[in-house]
Amino acid sequence: MASPAPLGFSITRRTASAIVRRTAPAIAALLLMAGCADAPEGPVQVSASAVAAEQKLQQRLALQEMLKEHARILDVGFAVTEAAAALCPDSVAAGFGINVATRANFSDALRDTATETLGLTDQPQIVHIVPGSPAARAGLAEGDKILAIDGKPVGTESDSGKEVLERLRAAPIAPVTFAVERSAAERSSESDKQATPRDITVTPVKVCNYELYIGRSDTLNAFADGSSIVVT
């Protein structure tokens, strides 16, 4: 059954819950394996710190799987909607090729892990850029926090990540300037050492204004039905 997945994190909570349910049994399995070597008598004693460490590892793996799934659907969906833009002249949107999220976009089970791993805050942050997209060509980078779009400040409310994506999809097919804050780690690897915040102008491309869906199937495929795209 297909699950809706617009160009944002609208299914993050549902996806995260499913992934956590799938990976949680690994904790118990690994703990059992720890006691299989010499078949000790009585119950195996496992420290609370070992359980916590394993749980943290599984949460990181769940986060990686979820981000990988979202990146895949965005990469495929962007390519398809851009290529088909001439076929949907009455339903086009501005395509930048980015995904944005904040702490609030993640479930309780993964919020702390996402914050620690990605450096997320309440400020909308770019978590994925489609290779070769307008955003990639203009120099936006994963980890950039979006402070303003065309001079209009971006808020930090719980739905600010979704708001950014909606503003971008409704933008005209014309240059858009992002005011972004880049992390110190990213700046240290750059030769120009540009100051932050900085302005980066991106010229979007036309894409079909279709919703993206994740379809559950053993076959790798992508198809459209005139109003949506399903990626399996």
Side-chain angles (χ1 to χ4, degrees):
M1 180 177 181
S3 300
L7 299 182
F9 268 68
S10 63
I11 67 164
T12 296
R13 295 176 186 275
R14 182 181 301 175
T15 304
S17 297
I19 292 172
V20 169
R21 286 198 299 271
R22 292 200 303 270
T23 57
I27 298 176
L30 288 172
L31 293 179
L32 287 173
M33 289 171 63
C36 290
D38 300 315
E41 297 181 2
V44 177
Q45 299 297 319
V46 181
S47 68
S49 60
V51 173
E54 182 58 34
Q55 184 177 29
K56 191 171 185 178
L57 172 61
Q58 293 302 321
Q59 288 172 338
R60 284 203 190 99
L61 293 175
L63 176 66
Q64 290 173 5
E65 182 179 340
M66 184 191 67
L67 292 174
K68 182 179 178 180
E69 187 172 61
H70 277 275
R72 182 173 69 87
I73 189 174
L74 183 59
D75 290 350
V76 174
F78 188 85
V80 173
T81 54
E82 182 183 10
L87 304 177
C88 55
D90 297 327
S91 181
V92 295
F96 294 84
I98 66 173
N99 204 354
V100 176
T102 68
R103 280 175 42 85
N105 292 120
F106 290 85
S107 67
D108 292 341
L110 292 180
R111 186 170 296 125
D112 289 343
T113 302
T115 300
E116 178 182 348
T117 304
L118 302 175
L120 289 178
T121 64
D122 294 329
Q123 192 72 42
Q125 177 175 316
I126 297 175
V127 293
H128 180 67
I129 295 180
V130 176
S133 67
R137 293 194 298 269
L140 285 174
E142 294 178 7
D144 283 352
K145 288 180 169 56
I146 301 176
L147 307 180
I149 298 174
D150 278 342
K152 183 178 179 180
V154 170
T156 57
E157 297 78 11
S158 60
D159 61 347
S160 57
K162 180 180 178 182
E163 178 190 347
V164 167
L165 292 170
E166 289 177 346
R167 283 173 60 180
L168 294 179
R169 292 184 75 172
I173 311 300
V176 173
T177 299
F178 293 75
V180 300
E181 180 180 87
R182 187 157 293 178
S183 69
E186 285 292 329
R187 295 200 308 277
S188 66
S189 65
E190 297 175 350
S191 59
D192 58 12
K193 306 293 184 182
Q194 291 185 44
T196 186
R198 68 183 68 181
D199 290 340
I200 296 177
T201 299
V202 183
T203 301
V205 294
K206 288 183 180 180
V207 297
C208 290
N209 193 16
Y210 288 177
E211 298 292 345
L212 300 180
Y213 290 79
I214 296 176
R216 303 301 174 185
S217 171
D218 293 331
T219 302
L220 291 176
N221 196 8
F223 58 90
D225 62 7
S227 61
S228 59
I229 293 175
V230 177
V231 180
T232 63

